[in-house]
Amino acid sequence: EVQLVESGGGLMQPGGSLRLSCAASGFTVSDSYMTWVRQAPGQGLQWVSIIYPSGNTLYADSVRGRFTISRDSSKNTVFLQVNSLRVEDTAVYYCARISSGNYDWGQGTLVTVSS
Amino acid sequence: QLVPTQSPSASASLGASVKLTCTLSSGHSIYAIAWHQQRPEKGPRYLMKVNSDGSLNKGDGIPDRFSGSSSGAERHLIISSLQSEDEADYFCQTWGTWVFGGGTKLTVL
């Protein structure tokens, strides 16, 4: 059974940094498309970043240069490093696995940026 | 980045059918899209991938009353025999560029 468990969220100050983790089980992250999606309070879903099996990465224009996606095969975990936090980064951050015909979501972790 | 277009809201009666539409911008009609459902206060749930030829890849456990279709730059989600639990936000996402549409809030009357 595929499982994704996000962690690392919390209350942060503007300008701060944090690293979100997505621990996977039931499959191998390095063989999969792994993506981060966020949802600000009362808003829709916003795609953030993706890492491919090749290691290539893509980012949304709004986060490029501040966010970094990575993975650790030994831990079967995907990370999202978030730097220079802004109030508008406040959101629930979801990780997901994309396969050729399926898409598995985690339960999300809340990041709140406030002074 | 390619942003698909969705109507903000839709409504239909209990037991009826509804068709939700996701429109790709001109010149991008070959893209597949994914449909996701998000019930109130819940996380997203993958429903299906709709390819440009109308073929589908449905998620595990998605009922048969959820279906999809394709016509030109439009990708559709069709829900038949509407139930109260279908009241939710529905988001489309382009496959490959990964951008989400703004979502459609479906009300079941």
Side-chain angles (χ1 to χ4, degrees), chain A residues 5-28:
Chain A
V5 179
E6 300 96 330
S7 61
L11 177 61
M12 305 295 296
Q13 290 199 331
S17 297
L18 80 165
R19 188 174 79 160
L20 304 180
S21 299
C22 172
S25 58
F27 70 100
T28 303

Side-chain angles (χ1 to χ4, degrees), chain A residues 18-66:
Chain A
L18 80 165
R19 188 174 79 160
L20 304 180
S21 299
C22 172
S25 58
F27 70 100
T28 303
V29 297
S30 58
D31 293 338
S32 303
Y33 292 16
M34 298 298 299
T35 190
W36 286 95
V37 173
R38 69 182 180 181
Q39 187 170 35
Q43 302 300 309
L45 300 175
Q46 181 189 22
W47 174 74
V48 171
S49 182
I50 190 167
I51 184 166
Y52 294 101
S54 64
N56 288 347
T57 58
L58 289 177
Y59 297 92
D61 290 344
S62 58
V63 307
R64 189 176 297 114
R66 295 191 301 125

Side-chain angles (χ1 to χ4, degrees), chain B residues 65-108:
Chain B
R65 57 193 189 82
F66 286 83
S67 185
S69 65
S70 179
S71 177
E74 294 185 344
R75 307 288 180 265
H76 305 291
L77 173 66
I78 301 120
I79 312 172
S80 59
S81 303
L82 273 168
Q83 301 179 6
S84 56
E85 68 213 44
D86 299 330
E87 187 160 289
D89 293 323
Y90 292 84
F91 296 93
C92 66
Q93 180 187 28
T94 56
W95 199 274
T97 62
W98 314 115
V99 179
F100 286 91
T104 296
K105 183 177 186 62
L106 175 64
T107 300
V108 179

